Amino acid sequence: LDMEYIINLPNQKGRDFFMKLLPPVGRDEVVARMKKADKLPTEDIKDTEETLKAIRTKIAKLESEESNLNGRITALKQSIKNPPEEEKFEKQAELDALEKRLKGISASLSKEEELQKKLNEKKGEVQSLTADKKGMADKYYEISDKLKSLSESKCPTCKQVIKDAKEKAEACTKERKEVIEKGKELADKMKTLEAEIAKLDADISKVKSLNDSVKIIEQINALRTEKQQIELKNNTRKTIIENNVNYTKDIKKYEEAIDDIIKKKAEAEEMMEALKEYRLFSTLIQVEKVQQHFNKVSINLFHVNPETKEIKETYE
């Protein structure tokens, strides 16, 4: 070799020249020097740079998934609420008593309707009797006027009542007597009806005094509203508790997924470190094999960062 020619080659050409001369290095030869060989991929390593790039892409994807899951966990934790204390409706006995009383009032209202119906019927009978009584009175006055007229039908000579007129007057007297009897009957019936009406009025007033339904219904509605509000609050509390349970389950599921991601990231990062170590020793072995052909010249084709183990191409 013309060393002067080789040494004076431009950087990239000089490096390319030696890279073509570098013999391939076997996996077993590299692994023998490594500390993290057990973390290497099981398949053959053809191109460490491509493999490292694929692992970085995988880690980035895992980190994106981890960030997404952490966001979900944060949102779920913010959704968890402290449920309010459970409330109890302490007035159930009072409500039951009022509802029972209202049922009794409903029965009383039916009785009131029945009494009112009877009262209306009696008043209708009174109106009918009043009309009949007026008819009897009119007939009485009519007969009385007729009797008066007949009594004045006398013979101008002897002043005696004419025989025909006398017979008619007797018939009218009899008829008037019958009218008077019927009038008395009507009066008695009227008196009985008035007594019955008075009693019905008293009974209705008594039932009405027991039927304070409006006030009771207001009390019942107020208690029912209070009960519904308490049930609504307790249902809301139940929903919050159920949601908290579901949120907690989801959080646990996401945390387990994150643990799995962290584990996969750690494995990927360990593999990256092993690949870097593999690449480092592979390069060193190649350089050593080149260097053994020179005793006065040192050829450096790679520069290794001692901290990051990153290899930078060079020609020195």
Side-chain angles (χ1 to χ4, degrees):
L1 293 173
D2 186 346
M3 294 307 300
E4 185 177 352
Y5 167 76
I6 294 171
I7 292 170
N8 291 324
L9 282 172
N11 286 350
Q12 189 60 44
K13 285 186 178 182
R15 190 176 188 285
D16 291 341
F17 174 79
F18 278 100
M19 288 300 294
K20 290 177 182 178
L21 298 177
L22 291 177
V25 181
R27 180 179 177 123
D28 292 341
E29 191 176 357
V30 179
V31 167
R33 294 195 187 187
M34 291 178 61
K35 295 180 179 179
K36 300 179 180 179
D38 60 322
K39 303 300 181 182
L40 286 172
T42 55
E43 64 273 10
D44 290 338
I45 304 169
K46 295 180 181 179
D47 189 332
T48 54
E49 282 301 327
E50 287 297 321
T51 305
L52 285 169
K53 184 178 178 182
I55 293 174
R56 289 190 189 98
T57 301
K58 180 180 179 180
I59 290 174
K61 185 178 178 182
L62 289 170
E63 287 176 344
S64 176
E65 291 177 6
E66 183 181 3
S67 177
N68 181 270
L69 290 173
N70 277 321
R72 292 187 184 184
I73 289 172
T74 299
L76 287 171
K77 286 182 177 179
Q78 290 174 349
S79 298
I80 292 176
K81 301 177 182 177
N82 291 324
E85 292 293 328
E86 184 176 8
E87 295 187 26
K88 291 185 179 181
F89 182 61
E90 305 287 353
K91 301 176 183 178
Q92 187 61 51
E94 181 182 352
L95 178 58
D96 291 341
L98 287 170
E99 288 178 339
K100 184 177 180 181
R101 186 176 172 188
L102 185 61
K103 287 181 180 179
I105 288 176
S106 298
S108 297
L109 289 173
S110 298
K111 185 176 181 181
E112 181 183 342
E113 290 177 0
E114 182 183 348
L115 291 172
Q116 189 63 51
K117 184 179 178 182
K118 287 182 179 180
L119 178 62
N120 293 337
E121 289 174 355
K122 295 298 179 183
K123 287 182 177 181
E125 290 180 26
V126 167
Q127 290 179 348
S128 178
L129 285 174
T130 300
D132 291 345
K133 190 176 178 182
K134 185 177 181 303
M136 288 295 104
D138 292 343
K139 193 168 185 180
Y140 174 83
Y141 290 122
E142 180 186 343
I143 294 171
S144 295
D145 290 342
K146 190 175 181 181
L147 279 172
K148 184 179 178 182
S149 176
L150 289 170
S151 65
E152 293 175 351
S153 299
K154 296 180 181 180
C155 177
T157 304
C158 63
K159 306 297 182 185
Q160 295 292 318
V161 176
I162 298 173
K163 183 177 180 181
D164 183 55
K166 184 177 180 180
E167 291 174 355
K168 288 181 178 181
E170 289 175 356
C172 283
T173 301
K174 183 179 178 182
E175 185 180 3
R176 186 172 69 176
K177 186 177 180 181
E178 291 174 355
V179 168
I180 291 170
E181 290 298 324
K182 286 182 179 179
K184 287 181 179 179
E185 289 178 9
L186 289 173
D188 290 341
K189 285 184 179 180
M190 183 74 77
K191 188 175 181 180
T192 300
L193 281 172
E194 287 174 348
E196 290 176 352
I197 287 172
K199 186 175 184 305
L200 285 170
D201 278 330
D203 290 343
I204 290 172
S205 297
K206 185 177 180 181
V207 170
K208 282 184 176 179
S209 67
L210 298 174
N211 293 348
D212 192 8
S213 59
V214 174
K215 184 177 179 181
I216 290 175
I217 290 172
E218 287 177 353
Q219 292 175 329
I220 288 174
N221 288 338
L223 288 173
R224 285 177 178 172
T225 300
E226 183 180 346
K227 183 179 180 180
Q228 288 172 352
Q229 289 174 344
I230 290 174
E231 289 175 347
L232 181 62
K233 289 179 181 178
N234 287 336
N235 287 336
T236 301
R237 176 180 182 274
K238 183 179 177 182
T239 300
I240 290 173
I241 292 172
E242 290 174 352
N243 287 340
N244 286 349
V245 170
N246 292 329
Y247 295 154
T248 303
K249 287 180 180 177
D250 288 341
I251 288 170
K252 184 179 179 182
K253 179 176 68 176
Y254 294 149
E255 286 176 342
E256 289 173 352
I258 288 174
D259 289 340
D260 185 57
I261 287 173
I262 292 172
K263 182 180 177 182
K264 288 179 179 178
K265 278 174 57 181
E267 291 173 353
E269 287 167 354
E270 286 178 345
M271 186 178 288
M272 281 184 67
E273 291 300 314
L275 282 166
K276 288 178 182 179
E277 187 182 14
Y278 181 90
R279 186 177 60 177
L280 173 62
F281 283 110
S282 177
T283 302
L284 290 175
I285 291 170
Q286 286 178 317
V287 172
E288 288 171 2
K289 287 184 178 182
V290 171
Q291 190 62 49
Q292 69 184 356
H293 296 287
F294 303 94
N295 53 17
K296 293 183 179 181
V297 178
S298 176
I299 303 297
N300 190 13
L301 300 176
F302 303 92
H303 177 71
V304 181
N305 187 319
E307 294 181 1
T308 64
K309 301 295 190 297
E310 294 294 332
I311 298 175
K312 183 179 180 181
E313 295 179 355
T314 185
Y315 175 62
E316 298 173 353

